[in-house]
Amino acid sequence: MHNKMSNQPKKYNHLLLENKVCVIVGAASLRSIGYATAELFAAHGAKLVILDVQMNEQIANDVATSIATQIGHAPEILSLQCDICSLADCDKAIALATARFGTIDCLVNCAGIVKSGGLLSITDDEYSKIMDVNLKGTFNICKSALTIFAEKQAGAIVNLASLAAQRGGGLVGGAHYAASKGGVISLTRSIAREFAPLGIRANVICPAMIETSMLDGLNEVQLNEVISNIPLKRVGKAIELAGACLFLASDLAGFTTGATIDVNGGIHIH
Ligand SMILES: NC(=O)c1ccc[n+]([C@@H]2O[C@H](COP(=O)([O-])OP(=O)(O)OC[C@H]3O[C@@H](n4cnc5c(N)ncnc54)[C@H](O)[C@@H]3O)[C@@H](O)[C@H]2O)c1
C-alpha cells in the first residue's frame, strides 16, 4: 500500500533503541563483540541485560564502569551469570530480566567458543563442547527469549555465526566450529520463518577477523597473511560488528528477517 504524502515532517529518532530492553549474551570481556554491542546499544538508549558464563561481581562492575565512562552516563544494567548450554539457566536469566524490566525487546547472542585443528584431530569431547555452546546454547537462549517474544508478539533476535560456516572452515576455527556456526545460520532462518507471522524478526551475522581475544591465537605472520587477503586490508573492529547488530535490533530493520549479513572486510563476497 502506498501511503499518501503527508505535509508533517517525519520523526527521525537518533536514539535507535530508546528504552528497549536488550539482552546481550557474551559480553564479559571489554574487548568482545558483545561488550561493544552493549556499549553502543546503551548509547542508543537501551536498558541492558548482560549475560555471560564468566559473569561475576567484578566483571559486572568493570563492564558498567566502562560503559558509563564511554557514553557519559550510567545506563540501567542487569548483569547475570548464565551458561547458555543450560536451558534452565537461560529461562532463569530471562525470568529475572522480565522481573526487573517488565519485558525484553531484543536478544543479541554473541556467546561462542572457537577451537582450531584439522578434522582428524578433533576429539569427541571437543566436538560436543563446541556444538553445546555454539549451537545448542544459541537454541536455548533463543527459545527462552522467544517465549516472551511470542507472548507479546514482538521482538528481534540477532545471532552471531561466522565466515567459517560459509566458506568451509575457518581462518581460526576447525570443522566442528564451522559446522556449529552453519547450524546457527539454519536455526536463525527457521526462527525467522516460524515467528515472522507473530511480528518477530531473526537475523544472523557472519563476522570474520574482528579484533577480539578470538584472534589472540594467531601469530604476527599468520595475522599479516590473513590481512593481505582481506580486500579492506585490515581486521575489523568490535564496534563495526556492533553497528550491524544495532541496525538489525532496531526498527530500521523492521522489514529484514531471515537475513545473513556479512561483516568481513570483503574477504568473502558472494
Ligand atoms: N572475533 C572474530 O573474528 C569472530 C569471527 C567470526 C565469528 N565470531 C563470533 O562472534 C561471537 C563473539 O566473539 P568474540 O570475538 O567477541 O569472542 P569473545 O571470546 O571475546 O566473547 C565470547 C564470550 O562468550 C562467552 N561465553 C562462552 N561460552 C558461554 C556460555 N556457555 N554461556 C554464556 N556465555 C559464554 C565468553 O565468556 C565470552 O565472554 C562468537 O560467537 C564468535 O564465534 C567472532
Side-chain angles (χ1 to χ4, degrees), residues 82-100:
C82 172
D83 179 354
I84 57 170
C85 298
S86 154
L87 181 60
D89 255 29
C90 294
D91 283 346
K92 190 174 161 200
I94 296 300
L96 288 168
T98 51
R100 163 78 180 266

Side-chain angles (χ1 to χ4, degrees), residues 25-29 31-34 51-54 82-85 109-114 129 133-134 160-164 177 181 206-215 241:
V25 194
S29 154
R31 294 171 62 203
S32 65
I33 291 167
L51 310 180
D52 200 293
V53 69
Q54 293 185 63
C82 172
D83 179 354
I84 57 170
C85 298
N109 179 32
C110 303
I113 54 172
V114 70
K129 179 75 185 157
V133 176
N134 292 355
L160 266 69
S162 172
L163 168 71
Y177 176 76
K181 293 300 192 175
C206 288
M209 305 315 287
I210 308 296
E211 208 171 5
T212 71
S213 60
M214 269 201 185
L215 299 193
L241 210 291

Side-chain angles (χ1 to χ4, degrees), residues 57-243:
E57 215 179 313
Q58 180 66 53
I59 290 174
N61 284 339
D62 290 349
V63 167
T65 305
S66 178
I67 291 176
T69 307
Q70 295 300 322
I71 72 170
H73 69 268
E76 285 188 67
I77 305 179
L78 174 65
S79 290
L80 299 169
Q81 199 268 342
C82 172
D83 179 354
I84 57 170
C85 298
S86 154
L87 181 60
D89 255 29
C90 294
D91 283 346
K92 190 174 161 200
I94 296 300
L96 288 168
T98 51
R100 163 78 180 266
F101 293 115
T103 190
I104 57 167
D105 298 298
C106 99
L107 165 70
V108 181
N109 179 32
C110 303
I113 54 172
V114 70
K115 189 123 185 20
S116 57
L119 187 143
L120 296 179
S121 73
I122 297 168
T123 66
D124 206 42
D125 283 352
E126 285 169 347
Y127 177 87
S128 298
K129 179 75 185 157
I130 288 269
M131 285 293 169
D132 228 31
V133 176
N134 292 355
L135 185 51
K136 188 174 168 217
T138 302
F139 179 85
N140 286 341
I141 193 64
C142 287
K143 190 176 178 192
S144 298
L146 280 164
T147 56
I148 306 296
F149 293 162
E151 210 174 272
K152 66 190 276 189
Q153 306 226 337
I157 290 177
V158 183
N159 284 324
L160 266 69
S162 172
L163 168 71
Q166 299 168 303
R167 51 162 254 167
L171 304 163
V172 178
H176 50 346
Y177 176 76
S180 72
K181 293 300 192 175
V184 170
I185 295 175
S186 295
L187 171 66
T188 310
R189 289 177 177 171
S190 301
I191 293 169
R193 190 179 295 281
E194 182 176 342
F195 290 90
L198 296 181
I200 297 162
R201 299 182 298 103
N203 294 287
V204 61
I205 301 176
C206 288
M209 305 315 287
I210 308 296
E211 208 171 5
T212 71
S213 60
M214 269 201 185
L215 299 193
D216 288 351
L218 295 176
N219 64 39
E220 209 180 318
V221 176
Q222 290 169 317
L223 194 61
N224 286 337
E225 196 190 321
V226 170
I227 288 173
S228 70
N229 288 319
I230 299 176
L232 285 178
K233 298 294 170 210
R234 64 175 177 86
V235 293
K237 300 178 186 124
I239 182 71
E240 292 168 324
L241 210 291

